[in-house]
Amino acid sequence: MSSNDEGPRPVTRRIYPTESSWCRAVPGGTGVTTLSLLIKNNTPHLHIQSALRRLQTNHPILRATLNPTTSTFIIPPLSSLTLHSSSSESPFHSLVEQELNLNPWNSNAAVGVGVGVDVMHATIYDHGNGSSTLVIKLHTAACDRTAAVQLVKELMHIVVTNNNSHDADVDVDVDVDGDVGLGIEEYVPDISKPFWARGIDMLGYSLNSFRLSNFNFLDPVSHPSSRLVRLMLDAPHTSMLLQGCKRRGIKLCGALSAAGLIAARLAKGLSDGDWEKYAVVTLIDCRKLLEPPLSNHHIGFYHSAILNTHDMCGGEELWGLATRTYKSFENAKKSNKHFSDMADLNFLMCKAIENPGLTPSSSMRTSFISVFEDPVVDETNEKYEQLGVEDYMGCASVHGVGPSVAVFDTIRDGKLDCACVYPFPLHSREQMQELIDKMKNILIHCLSSENEC
């Protein structure tokens, strides 16, 4: 038989530097992305599996296997995803935490020679009361937060359309990229950074890291895992918060990071006048800033980060600190640091993974808090109702290299809903719940009292 008769062959695509950094991070526990839906609807499992395979057809990178040792994605011509099923009486919150810590990429297959590991996995848990939890797990190198949100929208569109048509294989009209795509480095505008400037910045990042304050570490020795606490505001408070940000020319990320910084100091019981320096990482979806610009349907990792440090001496007021933190981020972005410092931050992240002793208490903490420049604004309510979705959460693990708390913010039905993921037992649930409660109280006090906080 000639080679022309063998049918389509797998496509090989090399792993780019930013993706490679995530390949280093994920086996250690940072970057396991989970999309979890609590469904009060007996949608047949075959319909869901068919929809997931359709996603992999629409976005080939999702059916890839990843092998960091050969620095390649291997994309087969057809999807073969299997939706695993299980029974569980655990509540939704517990299942999300459980899945954050079931890491298919920490095995020898993920870091060894030869066999690659799928970048996408899916499990459905039947609760025995007519409801179930669907969890889609993705390797962050192949799917960032923007891509994950897009996938949920497409999935619900496919499932709802199929249910209404009583045919799991019906074709539906969804936006697709249909291409494997390249790494973010191939689309970054030409922004040169002189060798000496890069050296100075690297030195600055390194020296600053030794001066940073951290949220108190409780147990940096025991085996780590990721856990989460939710920060939720009702619709009136959410509206007031967004309006307050708009009046001051800042974004929600500024208010969230400021509330976190103030809450951290309060939790530590420090006196006013005691100076501390905290690091905030702000993640940016770069799709619209690339050349050429990419759409949200372009699945892959296209985020970058800006790291800013902020001095705190106590007595800070929310809006003043929010404006300061956001303007620092905005100025750095205007200076293109999200592109010019991309390689530097990737390098430092990998060094922290290789040498945890370079970080405080070998904790691998690179900042106190991480936030996204823009929240997810959820406009899929009608599809949620049709599919019977009662709750939904999207977040990623952070117990390898990363912040003390990573905030994944969503505005759904006009209400703020943040999944705040943290490394356990480096921080305890009680400690983190206290922090998040303080953040919420700080936000509500400023809004409800109408003080110029």
Side-chain angles (χ1 to χ4, degrees), residues 7 12 78 103 137 162 189 219 239 279 331 335 359 389 417 427:
T12 300
L78 299 174
N103 186 347
K137 189 175 302 184
N162 286 344
D219 182 358
S239 177
N331 290 335
S335 300
T359 61
V389 174
D417 183 358
H427 302 298

Side-chain angles (χ1 to χ4, degrees), residues 124-354:
I124 191 161
Y125 295 91
D126 286 319
H127 300 308
N129 58 0
S131 65
S132 58
T133 294
L134 171 65
V135 181
I136 304 168
K137 189 175 302 184
L138 299 142
H139 194 292
T140 296
C143 185
D144 59 17
R145 186 177 74 149
T146 298
V149 171
Q150 178 63 29
L151 293 180
V152 170
K153 292 179 180 179
E154 289 190 23
L155 174 70
M156 289 194 293
H157 180 85
I158 294 170
V159 173
V160 168
T161 304
N162 286 344
N163 284 346
N164 291 342
S165 302
H166 306 289
D167 181 0
D169 294 318
V170 69
D171 285 331
V172 296
D173 181 21
V174 295
D175 293 310
V176 301
D177 55 31
D179 196 1
V180 174
L182 304 175
I184 187 173
E185 289 82 2
E186 291 297 314
Y187 303 105
V188 169
D190 184 16
I191 298 172
S192 60
K193 185 174 183 179
F195 174 80
W196 289 112
R198 182 177 183 188
I200 291 171
D201 282 348
M202 288 284 286
L203 182 62
Y205 282 130
S206 299
L207 292 178
N208 261 334
S209 67
F210 291 108
R211 301 167 57 200
L212 294 177
S213 298
N214 291 280
F215 201 41
N216 291 337
F217 301 144
L218 299 186
D219 182 358
V221 178
S222 299
H223 183 74
S225 62
S226 287
R227 294 192 178 180
L228 67 91
V229 175
R230 292 175 90 166
L231 189 163
M232 306 175 78
L233 295 183
D234 59 23
H237 282 123
T238 299
S239 177
M240 293 167 65
L241 177 60
L242 295 176
Q243 290 173 12
C245 292
K246 185 176 181 180
R247 282 197 301 271
R248 293 164 177 83
I250 65 175
K251 292 186 176 182
L252 177 61
C253 60
L256 291 176
S257 57
L261 294 174
I262 294 171
R265 271 194 62 94
L266 290 174
K268 293 170 77 171
L270 298 174
S271 302
D272 288 354
D274 289 342
W275 286 88
E276 290 196 307
K277 184 184 290 289
Y278 289 91
V280 176
V281 168
T282 308
L283 296 157
I284 306 164
D285 178 13
C286 294
R287 284 171 173 77
K288 295 180 181 178
L289 309 175
L290 300 175
E291 294 181 354
L294 304 178
S295 74
N296 290 353
H297 311 126
H298 204 96
I299 305 303
F301 188 86
Y302 299 103
H303 275 65
S304 187
I306 287 176
L307 187 151
N308 292 116
T309 59
H310 303 283
D311 292 325
M312 301 277 293
C313 66
E316 285 84 3
E317 298 177 335
L318 177 71
W319 287 121
L321 183 59
T323 301
R324 172 154 64 98
T325 58
Y326 181 76
K327 293 302 181 183
S328 295
F329 159 74
E330 187 178 48
N331 290 335
K333 186 179 176 184
K334 287 179 180 177
S335 300
N336 289 311
K337 281 190 158 298
H338 52 303
F339 289 141
S340 63
D341 290 12
M342 184 187 298
D344 299 346
L345 292 178
N346 285 338
F347 175 79
L348 291 172
M349 182 174 78
C350 290
K351 283 300 177 185
I353 294 169
E354 294 171 3

